Amino acid sequence: LVRSRGLGDVYKRQLLERGISFEKNRAVSTLANATLASMLSGVGPREHGVVDGDTRLSKTPTLVSEALREAGITTAFFTANPTTSEIYGFDRGWETFRVHGPVEDIAATTVFDDAIRFVELHKKDRFFVVIHARGGHPPWDASADQMKDLPPQNYTGGLDPRHAGELLAKARRIPPVIRYTDGDRERASALHTLAVEAHDVALGKLLSALRLNGRDDDTTVLVTGDVTPDETAHCLLYTSPSPRDRTRS
């Protein structure tokens, strides 16, 4: 869990007070899709086949969604990450499967709204829900008023929150196509924090929905992340493949 301020931090404290934090948990991969594939299949990347951002989940391992659905449990999957869409084989075993790609003109936290509606609809059923949120990854949601208050002051750079993904990709090339200033880095960090805080609040709303629908006492909630940004990397918000950056908590 990434530290944030405000309402999102309140929700996280409540979650941690009632739960357990695994501070030395390790991801099996630095790739979000590979990590999630292992969570759903119980096997490593070599077995499920997701070894990069372009490979498809193998049909060989049985997914927990398939086993649970066969057992009569209602299943749902909501993702804001295109690499865990049906194109990459992640749609197996779900009664409800919904993808919100980064090009959609909706908030990144819409996946939590989808999950809340699902819980309300199935509050009397046994259910298994997976949310693959975008978290701090661009494109970022930021209103005009929020942009005015973000550091650094009097920012005149070209880092646009809605097109930051393309710009960051250019910076990751070797040699990089574009280079960022310290002001760009500070702005990117602020936008990343803003996105994480919005996701913290969305998670809190989901927890509240479980409580309001009488399901908080018999529902297990797992919150995890895939990778941690490497502040020493040559470009903004690059995720290093080093073991140090595979820690998830």
Side-chain angles (χ1 to χ4, degrees):
L1 293 174
V2 181
R3 178 170 175 76
S4 62
R5 303 179 298 276
L7 184 59
D9 200 33
V10 173
Y11 285 133
K12 286 196 303 183
R13 285 201 303 270
Q14 293 175 351
L15 181 63
L16 290 172
E17 287 172 359
R18 298 185 60 186
I20 301 173
S21 177
F22 297 91
E23 297 181 354
K24 294 184 178 180
N25 186 26
R26 299 277 176 167
V28 299
S29 171
T30 58
L31 300 171
N33 55 342
T35 299
L36 184 56
S38 290
M39 293 179 186
L40 296 176
S41 65
V43 299
R46 290 185 178 180
E47 289 80 9
H48 59 58
V50 182
V51 294
D52 57 45
D54 298 319
T55 50
R56 181 180 173 87
L57 176 61
S58 171
K59 294 182 180 180
T60 302
T62 299
L63 304 185
V64 64
S65 54
E66 296 175 298
L68 292 176
R69 188 172 182 180
E70 188 174 333
I73 296 174
T74 303
T75 58
F77 185 95
F78 305 105
T79 178
N81 189 324
T83 63
T84 53
S85 65
E86 67 278 5
I87 297 175
Y88 294 97
F90 281 82
D91 57 339
R92 288 161 43 201
W94 309 102
E95 292 181 45
T96 300
F97 186 87
R98 191 164 300 155
V99 181
H100 293 296
V103 298
E104 289 187 51
D105 190 20
I106 58 173
T109 55
T110 299
V111 287
F112 289 91
D113 298 330
D114 291 339
I116 289 173
R117 285 190 289 269
F118 180 87
V119 169
E120 293 171 345
L121 184 63
H122 297 278
K123 60 184 178 181
K124 294 184 179 181
D125 303 326
R126 294 187 300 166
F127 55 73
F128 176 71
V129 181
V130 172
I131 301 173
H132 189 192
R134 200 154 65 226
H137 294 277
W140 293 303
D141 300 318
S143 66
D145 288 338
Q146 288 173 322
M147 292 292 288
K148 292 178 182 177
D149 296 331
L150 289 180
Q153 292 183 350
N154 303 317
Y155 175 71
T156 58
L159 190 65
D160 172 21
R162 295 305 301 173
H163 302 91
E166 295 94 321
L167 296 175
L168 292 173
K170 292 180 179 179
R172 288 176 180 159
R173 296 178 186 175
I174 301 175
V177 176
I178 58 176
R179 295 185 181 275
Y180 286 108
T181 65
D182 290 340
D184 294 328
R185 291 177 179 276
E186 188 174 359
R187 175 53 60 96
S189 178
L191 286 166
H192 177 272
T193 299
L194 185 68
V196 171
E197 289 176 348
H199 279 71
D200 288 343
V201 173
L203 172 61
K205 291 179 179 178
L206 175 59
L207 297 176
S208 296
L210 288 171
R211 184 176 64 255
L212 291 173
N213 287 278
R215 297 303 305 268
D216 57 329
D217 287 335
D218 65 355
T219 301
T220 299
V221 179
L222 304 178
V223 182
T224 186
D226 52 355
V227 291
T228 301
D230 184 359
E231 296 178 357
T232 65
H234 74 277
C235 67
L236 300 172
L237 302 179
Y238 180 76
T239 49
S240 168
S242 66
R244 177 176 63 82
D245 289 306
R246 283 190 235 159
T247 303
R248 299 180 301 152
S249 61

